[in-house]
Amino acid sequence: MRERVQQGLDSLRRQNGLYLASPSDTYHFIWIRDNCYVSLSKLDQDDDEYEQMYHSIFDIWKKYAWKIAFHADRRPEAVYQYIHPRYTADTLEEIHEPWGNAQNDAIGLFLYGIGTGLQRNRSMLRDTEDANLVRLLIRYLKTLAYWSDKDNGMWEETVELHASSVGACVAGLLAVKPFFDVDFPTIREGMVSLWRLLPQESATHDVDLAQLSLVYPYRLLPKQIARAIVQRVENHLLREYGVIRYAGDRYYADNGREAEWCMGLPWLGLCHATLGNGDAARRYWEWTQRVMTPEGLIPELYLPVQRMPNENTPLGWAHSLYVILDRLVNQLP
């Protein structure tokens, strides 16, 4: 099973080392967030695929360095002025159609990936240009006042203050702090904001799948609170084929019922593994296998009434989470 899932993930890889979110027309793009989550499955490999993904993202952003530099000192006034989280697959250009471009979590996640790689002595920075871009991103988050900045969040939807976005920025800044100048008040403001938001994700989302990121990969919360977040997701959002993103989600809603996202299953497994719950981690590992297609592919989601996967199959993000969970489960006693 592991080989088939890995093959499904590898099928999304481009020559530059970046990954399509999915081969479907809907998701035939390069998302910063999706690639950074895919990169987590490359972190322990002996090759340079992990670094290559980040180097390619640096190359994208070098084309827009003027924009990043401008807004590192001047807060964006419109959504399109935020650093874009999604690019064309072939030319790696910004997508100019109206979109929820204010996604601070993608910037925090990128910094987290850079810092994590540096902590493992990986060659994340090729030159001063790469290092300067990291410095600009740090300034950008500070200028945004990310701890109070209302963004579109992980699901690219409602503009509000999201715990998962604030948490991603805190985790990213903490990860790069040993290597770059990050003043403590910038991190402290984020932590204070996060504690004020929890246990909610936002003003309109009491419980949200995105909150699992605070447990894995960021490991930001004390164990007692992390367990409570995981339990709330399980109690309110867990379904037969996956995890709904939040109550009332209309994306691919089926006869009034929310779509069931498959990646929520390995994500819950990784959260339990992080918390030391081996049996639960194995249970979600097995559960994920049951929602795969006969070809060993993990869909984005299942329609809850029709019990059919949507066209975004395979979803790279889901495959990556399963690959990581598979390794952890096979290391359990």
Side-chain angles (χ1 to χ4, degrees), residues 61-74 76 79-84 87 94 96 101 136 140:
W61 279 344
K62 281 178 181 179
K63 294 189 294 185
Y64 300 99
W66 61 270
K67 175 181 177 179
I68 298 173
F70 184 84
H71 289 296
D73 295 318
R74 300 167 183 84
V79 169
Y80 73 87
Q81 295 176 327
Y82 281 73
I83 299 175
H84 282 215
Y87 299 83
E94 288 183 347
H96 295 298
N101 286 326
L136 286 175
Y140 172 81

Side-chain angles (χ1 to χ4, degrees), residues 15 28 34 47 49-50 65 74 77 128-129 136 156 172-174 184 192 196 213 215 233 262 275 283 292 294 298:
Q15 189 172 1
H28 197 82
D34 291 57
D47 54 37
E49 285 192 22
Y50 184 85
R74 300 167 183 84
E77 296 178 357
T128 56
E129 281 189 88
L136 286 175
E156 307 174 330
L173 293 170
L174 283 170
F184 180 71
V192 170
R196 286 174 177 166
S213 63
V215 182
V233 170
C262 301
L275 294 170
R283 185 168 66 251
M292 293 178 186
I298 307 176

Side-chain angles (χ1 to χ4, degrees), residues 3 7 51 55 81 95 105 113 122 142 145 152 158 193 200 206 223 263 270 277 282 284 328:
E3 290 183 1
Q7 288 170 0
E51 294 95 323
H55 294 166
Q81 295 176 327
I95 308 296
D105 72 293
R122 286 187 170 271
K142 183 177 181 179
N152 294 106
T158 306
S193 176
Q200 290 181 288
D206 184 50
K223 275 197 172 182
M263 72 180 186
L270 287 169
N277 305 328
R282 187 181 298 276
Y284 282 110
L328 292 175

Side-chain angles (χ1 to χ4, degrees), residues 50-315:
Y50 184 85
E51 294 95 323
Q52 186 182 7
M53 296 174 71
Y54 286 90
H55 294 166
S56 291
I57 295 173
F58 274 132
D59 290 340
I60 293 174
W61 279 344
K62 281 178 181 179
K63 294 189 294 185
Y64 300 99
W66 61 270
K67 175 181 177 179
I68 298 173
F70 184 84
H71 289 296
D73 295 318
R74 300 167 183 84
R75 187 185 177 114
E77 296 178 357
V79 169
Y80 73 87
Q81 295 176 327
Y82 281 73
I83 299 175
H84 282 215
R86 184 179 67 133
Y87 299 83
T88 61
D90 298 321
T91 63
L92 302 176
E93 301 289 334
E94 288 183 347
I95 308 296
H96 295 298
E97 66 184 85
W99 195 264
N101 286 326
Q103 297 174 37
N104 299 342
D105 72 293
I107 307 304
L109 176 59
F110 177 82
L111 291 176
Y112 176 82
I114 291 291
T116 300
L118 289 172
Q119 290 167 26
R120 300 199 180 198
N121 297 315
R122 286 187 170 271
S123 302
M124 305 304 297
L125 307 172
R126 297 164 297 182
D127 49 37
T128 56
E129 281 189 88
D130 287 351
N132 286 336
L133 270 171
V134 173
R135 294 187 184 97
L136 286 175
L137 294 174
I138 293 169
R139 279 168 49 199
Y140 172 81
L141 291 181
K142 183 177 181 179
T143 297
L144 275 179
Y146 73 89
W147 52 87
S148 60
D149 188 58
K150 296 180 180 180
D151 73 340
N152 294 106
M154 187 178 289
W155 311 132
E156 307 174 330
E157 295 182 340
T158 306
V159 176
E160 54 186 346
L161 191 61
H162 294 91
S164 58
S165 291
V166 174
C169 295
V170 170
L173 293 170
L174 283 170
V176 297
K177 192 176 188 304
F179 312 97
F180 292 89
D181 183 20
V182 182
D183 60 86
F184 180 71
T186 302
I187 295 174
R188 182 188 61 212
E189 292 285 356
M191 288 302 300
V192 170
S193 176
L194 181 60
W195 290 120
R196 286 174 177 166
L197 284 163
L198 292 175
Q200 290 181 288
E201 163 67 2
S202 66
T204 64
H205 293 185
D206 184 50
V207 188
D208 195 300
L209 174 60
Q211 291 178 286
L212 293 185
S213 63
L214 303 174
V215 182
Y216 178 89
Y218 300 139
R219 300 176 175 87
L220 274 177
L221 309 176
K223 275 197 172 182
Q224 184 177 0
I225 298 175
R227 289 192 188 101
I229 293 294
V230 171
Q231 188 173 43
R232 280 164 57 84
V233 170
E234 290 176 323
N235 290 345
H236 298 281
L237 307 181
L238 184 59
R239 302 291 188 269
E240 182 180 357
Y241 285 84
V243 181
I244 66 171
R245 297 189 299 180
Y246 53 86
D249 184 9
R250 301 269 62 84
Y251 180 75
Y252 277 94
D254 189 10
N255 198 27
R257 290 167 56 183
E258 301 92 341
E260 301 174 16
W261 285 61
C262 301
M263 72 180 186
L265 298 175
W267 207 344
L268 279 168
L270 287 169
C271 289
H272 278 289
T274 300
L275 294 170
N277 305 328
D279 290 343
R282 187 181 298 276
R283 185 168 66 251
Y284 282 110
W285 173 70
E286 295 171 345
W287 195 338
T288 307
Q289 294 175 20
R290 294 197 296 271
V291 304
M292 293 178 186
T293 69
E295 298 77 28
L297 303 179
I298 307 176
E300 177 184 46
L301 56 83
Y302 275 81
L303 301 173
V305 176
Q306 299 180 42
R307 293 292 191 257
M308 294 289 292
N310 71 347
E311 75 274 14
N312 301 326
T313 305
L315 185 73

